[in-house]
Amino acid sequence: MALLPILHYPDPRLHTIAKPVERVDEKIRQLVADMAETMYDAPGIGLAATQVNVHLQVIVIDLSDDRDQLQVFINPQITWASVEKKNWQEGCLSVPDFFDEVERPAEVKVKALDIDGQEFEIKADGLLAVCIQHEMDHLKGKVFVEYLSSLKRMRISSKLKKKARLAL
Ligand code: K1U
Ligand code: ZN
């Protein structure tokens, strides 16, 4: 297993659109294991392959307190979203130390492949629904700060650029 470097906003690679996985093979299983290790280490509750500069439709999520209930979504598709919307405070490992509210559908149904390449569909609400939608945005090249005002986005961008310069 390996820890993978996480891209930070405003890295343009975060805007790459991920391609579908053609075959769930050992290489994909290794990517999932490395992504899970990276998410647990960060620590985070989710991670999309885009964030580790791999442009394939792979997501890992673990919302459990004991960090032992990994959920893997390969080629995820939202098949239904509720009309009801909800605001949640979101964070992102690619936008360290910033949290802000985003409005999204309160419930979604998502269809995906699991680690064995088997199709499954789940209905999600609460934080799982938020996290799935947030991670699926990453696969489409969208970072949650793009839901915020351009002023907030510019402030975040310049703070993170400054932080990156100081880290050199
Ligand atoms: O996509 C990511 O960068 C992961 C992100 C997922 C997420 C969090 C909150 C709302 C929507 C999506 C994170 O994991 S940010 C870190 C975080 O929320 C957290 C970290 C440790 C413990 C609990 C939460
Ligand atoms: Zn994120």
Side-chain angles (χ1 to χ4, degrees), residues 8-9 11 22 26 43 69 92 97 113 122 127 147 159:
H8 285 174
Y9 187 81
D11 192 312
E22 284 179 8
E26 268 319 302
Q69 286 171 45
C92 182
D97 305 325
L113 301 180
I122 57 159
L127 184 55
Y147 290 103
K159 276 190 184 166

Coordinates of all heavy atoms in Angstrom, one line a residue, residues 8-9 11 22 26 43 69 92 97 113 122 127 147 159:
H8 N -3.9 20.0 -4.4 CA -4.6 21.1 -3.7 C -5.1 22.2 -4.7 O -4.5 22.5 -5.6 CB -3.6 21.8 -2.7 CG -3.4 21.0 -1.5 ND1 -2.5 21.3 -0.5 CD2 -4.0 19.8 -1.1 CE1 -2.6 20.4 0.5 NE2 -3.5 19.5 0.1
Y9 N -6.4 22.7 -4.4 CA -7.0 23.8 -5.1 C -6.0 25.0 -5.1 O -5.4 25.2 -4.0 CB -8.3 24.1 -4.5 CG -9.1 25.1 -5.2 CD1 -9.9 24.8 -6.3 CD2 -9.1 26.5 -4.8 CE1 -10.6 25.7 -7.0 CE2 -9.9 27.4 -5.5 CZ -10.6 27.0 -6.6 OH -11.3 27.9 -7.3
D11 N -5.1 23.8 -8.2 CA -4.3 23.0 -9.2 C -5.3 22.7 -10.3 O -6.3 22.1 -10.1 CB -3.8 21.7 -8.5 CG -2.9 20.9 -9.4 OD1 -3.2 20.8 -10.6 OD2 -1.8 20.5 -8.9
E22 N -12.7 0.5 -17.3 CA -13.1 -0.5 -18.2 C -13.2 -1.9 -17.6 O -14.1 -2.7 -17.9 CB -12.2 -0.5 -19.4 CG -12.4 0.7 -20.3 CD -11.5 0.7 -21.5 OE1 -10.7 -0.3 -21.8 OE2 -11.5 1.7 -22.2
E26 N -6.7 -6.1 -10.8 CA -5.8 -5.9 -9.7 C -5.3 -4.5 -9.6 O -5.0 -4.0 -8.5 CB -4.6 -6.9 -9.8 CG -4.8 -8.2 -9.1 CD -5.5 -8.0 -7.7 OE1 -5.0 -7.3 -6.8 OE2 -6.6 -8.6 -7.5
P43 N -6.7 13.0 7.9 CA -7.8 12.0 7.7 C -9.0 12.7 7.0 O -9.2 13.9 7.2 CB -8.2 11.6 9.1 CG -8.0 12.9 9.9 CD -6.9 13.7 9.3
Q69 N -15.4 0.7 7.8 CA -16.5 0.4 6.9 C -16.3 1.1 5.6 O -17.0 2.1 5.2 CB -17.8 0.7 7.5 CG -18.2 -0.3 8.6 CD -19.4 0.2 9.4 OE1 -20.4 0.6 8.9 NE2 -19.3 0.0 10.7
C92 N -12.9 19.7 2.3 CA -12.3 18.9 1.2 C -10.8 18.8 1.4 O -10.2 19.8 1.8 CB -12.6 19.7 -0.1 SG -11.9 18.9 -1.6
D97 N -8.4 23.2 5.4 CA -8.8 24.2 6.4 C -9.9 25.2 6.0 O -10.1 26.2 6.6 CB -7.5 25.0 6.9 CG -6.4 24.1 7.3 OD1 -6.7 23.1 8.0 OD2 -5.2 24.4 7.1
L113 N -20.2 0.1 -9.5 CA -19.6 -1.2 -9.4 C -18.8 -1.3 -8.1 O -18.2 -0.3 -7.6 CB -18.6 -1.5 -10.6 CG -19.1 -1.4 -12.0 CD1 -18.0 -1.6 -13.0 CD2 -20.3 -2.4 -12.2
I122 N -27.6 1.9 -4.3 CA -28.1 2.2 -2.9 C -28.8 3.5 -2.9 O -28.6 4.4 -3.8 CB -26.9 2.3 -1.9 CG1 -25.8 3.4 -2.4 CG2 -26.2 1.0 -1.6 CD1 -25.0 3.9 -1.2
L127 N -25.2 12.5 5.6 CA -23.8 12.8 5.2 C -23.4 11.9 4.0 O -22.6 12.3 3.2 CB -22.9 12.6 6.4 CG -21.4 12.9 6.2 CD1 -21.2 14.4 5.7 CD2 -20.6 12.7 7.5
Y147 N -19.2 26.2 -5.8 CA -20.6 26.5 -5.5 C -20.6 27.9 -4.7 O -21.7 28.4 -4.4 CB -21.2 25.4 -4.6 CG -21.5 24.1 -5.3 CD1 -20.7 23.0 -5.2 CD2 -22.6 24.0 -6.2 CE1 -20.9 21.9 -5.9 CE2 -22.8 22.9 -6.9 CZ -22.0 21.8 -6.7 OH -22.3 20.6 -7.4
K159 N -5.1 32.4 -0.6 CA -4.6 31.8 0.6 C -3.8 30.5 0.4 O -2.7 30.3 0.9 CB -5.7 31.6 1.6 CG -6.0 32.9 2.4 CD -7.0 32.6 3.6 CE -7.4 33.9 4.2 NZ -8.5 33.7 5.2

